[in-house]
Amino acid sequence: MPRNSIESWITASIWSHRVTPLCVRASLAALGVLQLLAAPAFSAEYLLGPQDKLRLKVVEWRAGKAEYYEWTPFGAEYIVNPAGRVSLPMIGEITAEGRTSDQLARAITAELYKRTGFMGAQEAAVEIVQYRPFYVLGDVERPGEFNFRPGLSVLQAVGVAGGLHRPSEAGMREQINAAGNVEAARLELWRTYIRRARLEAELAEQNTITLPPELANKDIGILLAEEATILITRRDALQSQLTALSELRSLYEKEITSLQSKLVTQEKQVVLAQRELNTVGALVDKGLAVTSRQFALERTTADLQSGMLDVQTALVRAQQEVRKTERDATDLVKDGKAKASSELREAKASIEQLINRMNTSETLVAEATTSPRMAQYESGGKSLSYWIQRRKDGAMATFRADDGTLVEPGDVVRVEVNRAPSAAASVSRTGVATTAFNAGNFATIVSQSGEQ
């Protein structure tokens, strides 16, 4: 088991207060050994984010056997979705973004307690199987996306990307692939913008989709027509269900009116039968009528009273059905809005990732279309420049780095080779792309400076 998994496991065990003092001392000793064996890869605890792949383990302490029993349904790998959440059995979706693996393990343990009600019966451990990728661009052999591993320096990242760029005959193929990636990312981004606009129109109960400002003067007729069809279809489906419930309610209301009329008639019959029974009873007391006639009238009165109770029961049942159809109609509208709101959150989360992917692909196209590059190194080891673009507090920040700077998941590492004056005039550039994302709008600011 990797060290970070063991650390999380020991920490979760100590926190849960379910181990003996001897186990606590052993756990603390093991944790101290691990801290001496390996220095932390980051200056602060690693916070989870989209695309991180996690492995979950849940165990239950069985005091009778003095052993841990693993909950195998949870023993799987999970990927943090674009919305920053992971979907787990029994629990459903739980927020992972912005939490450490230990904090997520505690949150899962707490959720399991809510579900099972057995405090102290189970605990969870979360291990990071694969970090979200990082990107290497610029004068490297294979620019693109790569799997992250802790402790990775800028120089090692250049090595992962195949080292510095060397002239190749495969430039045309790279250019075609990069251009295709740009078009695919752009099309998906446009589609997501229109999906966001359609979901906003659906939540606002509008019949038309407002064209997103990001797509002004763009040829999106087909994409807009597809989303408009989805909007109309979902609106018509909801209206059809609401109409059916309204018709059902009308039928029950008619039934209530009929039953109320029948109840009035039934009450009159009971009153008449009771009056006749009273008259015959008086005659029987005087010996002027036979008791058999009195018994017959009593049975008739009882039957009429029973029928009246049946009508009253049917009337109450019909009134309950009317209220049920009203609740069903309300729930139908609420469920539709909840689904649209969830899809809107996912669409907004996807937009930022697509923007980053398109910017990366466009940079790759620029690199692929550049004329063959021959790096000419200067003396003193100052021929290379490194830049890192990193998301911090919701914004992208760009800073200069050296070959020993540690890379973090999601970083964009750019490598620049200083060239001879003759080549610098045509191909040398230092580009820093910063993407600002706010409520679905983005702007790309590129600053360039040529080195002479």
Side-chain angles (χ1 to χ4, degrees), residues 20-33:
T20 64
L22 180 60
C23 292
V24 172
R25 290 194 293 271
S27 300
L28 289 171
L31 184 57
V33 171

Side-chain angles (χ1 to χ4, degrees), residues 226-294:
E226 290 176 353
E227 292 297 329
T229 300
I230 295 175
L231 176 65
I232 295 173
T233 301
R234 293 176 68 161
R235 181 200 63 192
D236 291 346
L238 176 61
Q239 190 59 45
S240 177
Q241 291 176 300
L242 291 176
T243 301
L245 289 173
S246 178
E247 293 174 351
L248 183 60
R249 176 184 174 182
S250 298
L251 291 176
Y252 281 122
E253 288 176 345
K254 291 179 181 178
E255 182 180 358
I256 289 173
T257 302
S258 176
L259 289 172
Q260 288 174 339
S261 300
K262 185 175 181 180
L263 183 61
V264 171
T265 303
Q266 197 79 8
E267 288 175 346
K268 290 180 180 180
Q269 291 179 346
V270 169
V271 170
L272 293 175
Q274 187 65 46
R275 185 182 302 169
E276 185 178 1
L277 177 61
N278 293 337
T279 302
V280 172
L283 293 175
V284 169
D285 293 340
K286 296 177 181 181
L288 299 177
V290 295
T291 56
S292 59
R293 178 172 174 77
Q294 183 180 12

